[in-house]
Amino acid sequence: MRGTWLILISLSLTCAESDFTLLSQEERAGIPTVYFTEVRKVSRQNAETDHSGDFPHRDHDVKVVLEDHEHFAGVKRWHLTFMRGEEQFTSTLAIEENVGSEQKEFVFPIEMVTDANAVFITARDEVGSSLAFGSSLIKIPEMNSFLAWVGTAYDPAASHLRVDPGTLPVVEIGHHICKQNMSPCYILKERLPEVVSRCLTLTDLVTDAPVLLCDETMIPFNGLTMGLTVEFTEDHTVLLSLEPPQDEVVKSIEVIAYHPRDPSSVFSPWDSQCDPLDAVGESGRIECSQNLRMTETPDGIEVVVVVFTSQNGSLPQSVQLTHWFITDDAEAQIGAIIIGSIIGGLVAVGLIVALVIFVRKNKNMSKGKREAAVTTSAHYTSAPTSDPEPAQYDDQI
């Protein structure tokens, strides 16, 4: 029943000439049918820029997962096609020999086609004969969410993640919930998976079978390349100064300041914005300031600076900085005096102890000599002595 409905729907679609052609009812009758379970938008496997075809600026691939099926011998190419009205977008994946799960999961060099209303997959042999065919009648919505590793490169033990739901109403990551009207959201120094899936469950309009549609693209860390200076004022304000290249325009700056020992204590406002302004009297220099939410100055502060420019689009440049606040000179001098007094006292005590040990040692040696004159069976072994080790102090700022 499912195969019959797929044939009727497929034959109602019109295709332009390309590597993909719809099969007639007679052609399908003699070949197995495969069924989609997942269609995923994934990060590109080949980082080289592809300026050809229908997607000159493609930044991702499409992974499809099929239901379990028998092995098809002799497959040399798989074709994936998105249909959008009378438009078709086809990608061809050449393979060597398929075994086991290799015939269930495929990554095609093609973009996810927004508003496509059907997806097709075909297996062909060396001469172009079709060995298997599958289709799913689903409407693909726009799935643009932007998850970027910032501050430092991805670390499975402790990473910084910037979350922008984009066209999705909400993105959930563990116990974190980032809503579209509250973005961007930051997850700071937490143990996170390298890939965070954002998924919707669609229903095939013909078979009523569920098809999982996911976005798994992650924006890798992109270090800040422009000059940066950061200052902190007594009124709990962070001041930034940037020197962007002449051909770049800084569009926005986000500053996320938090306690280095407790990342849940965030001092920056919820929107993290630091509005860039041209520096007064300094051409080409950008400045911004952000008032931090704190009642007293902690011993240190950690900051992630995220910069968007006219050239990097949605790919942010970022850097992580740690600043430990230095106590004033008077406090430092008092501390030095106290530490010096303690050390001096310990040295004096050590000298006294050493003197007592020395005197006792000489007395025992003299006594031993006198006893040795009386009997040869009496022996004296000097006890090992050592000066007390000086106390260790770690100077921390």
Side-chain angles (χ1 to χ4, degrees), residues 380-396:
Y380 172 77
T381 303
S382 61
T385 63
S386 62
D387 293 333
E389 295 182 359
Q392 300 294 320
Y393 292 89
D394 294 328
D395 294 334
Q396 297 183 350

Side-chain angles (χ1 to χ4, degrees), residues 9 39 82-85 87 112-119 135-143 200-206 209-214:
I9 291 295
V39 180
F82 291 95
M83 297 293 300
R84 185 171 60 191
E87 294 182 284
M112 187 83 76
V113 179
T114 301
D115 293 332
N117 49 18
V119 188
S135 61
S136 184
L137 192 65
I138 53 176
K139 181 67 176 291
I140 297 179
E142 186 175 11
M143 291 190 72
L200 302 171
T201 300
L202 306 181
T203 301
D204 190 306
L205 298 180
V206 175
V211 177
L212 199 63
L213 181 70
C214 297

Side-chain angles (χ1 to χ4, degrees), residues 68-250:
D68 290 337
H69 57 78
E70 65 183 48
H71 176 73
F72 307 128
V75 177
K76 294 299 180 182
R77 297 190 310 278
W78 288 85
H79 300 275
L80 179 70
T81 297
F82 291 95
M83 297 293 300
R84 185 171 60 191
E86 295 186 357
E87 294 182 284
Q88 70 170 18
F89 306 87
T90 298
S91 177
T92 300
L93 186 64
I95 58 171
E96 295 299 327
E97 180 62 27
N98 289 193
V99 292
S101 62
E102 292 183 8
Q103 287 194 336
K104 286 182 56 181
E105 299 183 4
F106 308 92
V107 178
F108 290 88
I110 189 174
E111 282 189 358
M112 187 83 76
V113 179
T114 301
D115 293 332
N117 49 18
V119 188
F120 300 88
I121 192 166
T122 308
R124 290 180 176 171
D125 62 15
E126 190 171 2
V127 297
S129 299
S130 298
L131 302 177
F133 184 85
S135 61
S136 184
L137 192 65
I138 53 176
K139 181 67 176 291
I140 297 179
E142 186 175 11
M143 291 190 72
N144 287 332
S145 54
F146 307 96
L147 273 61
W149 301 113
V150 294
T152 59
Y154 169 74
D155 181 346
S159 291
H160 302 82
L161 181 64
R162 181 185 186 273
V163 182
D164 180 358
T167 56
L168 297 178
V170 65
V171 171
E172 297 185 23
I173 304 172
H175 64 278
H176 298 278
I177 298 176
C178 185
K179 298 181 180 180
Q180 190 179 74
N181 60 348
M182 296 291 289
S183 67
C185 308
Y186 281 91
I187 302 176
L188 306 173
K189 295 181 74 171
E190 287 195 17
R191 185 181 297 274
L192 296 168
E194 189 171 6
V195 174
V196 178
S197 299
R198 292 83 73 193
C199 297
L200 302 171
T201 300
L202 306 181
T203 301
D204 190 306
L205 298 180
V206 175
T207 65
D208 289 332
V211 177
L212 199 63
L213 181 70
C214 297
D215 183 353
E216 294 185 344
T217 57
M218 305 291 290
I219 300 173
F221 168 70
N222 187 21
L224 187 66
T225 58
M226 60 190 74
L228 169 68
T229 59
V230 182
E231 297 181 21
F232 299 90
T233 64
E234 293 181 356
D235 63 349
H236 302 150
T237 299
V238 57
L239 303 174
L240 265 69
S241 180
L242 288 168
E243 296 182 19
Q246 293 183 353
D247 56 347
E248 287 192 61
V249 177
V250 174

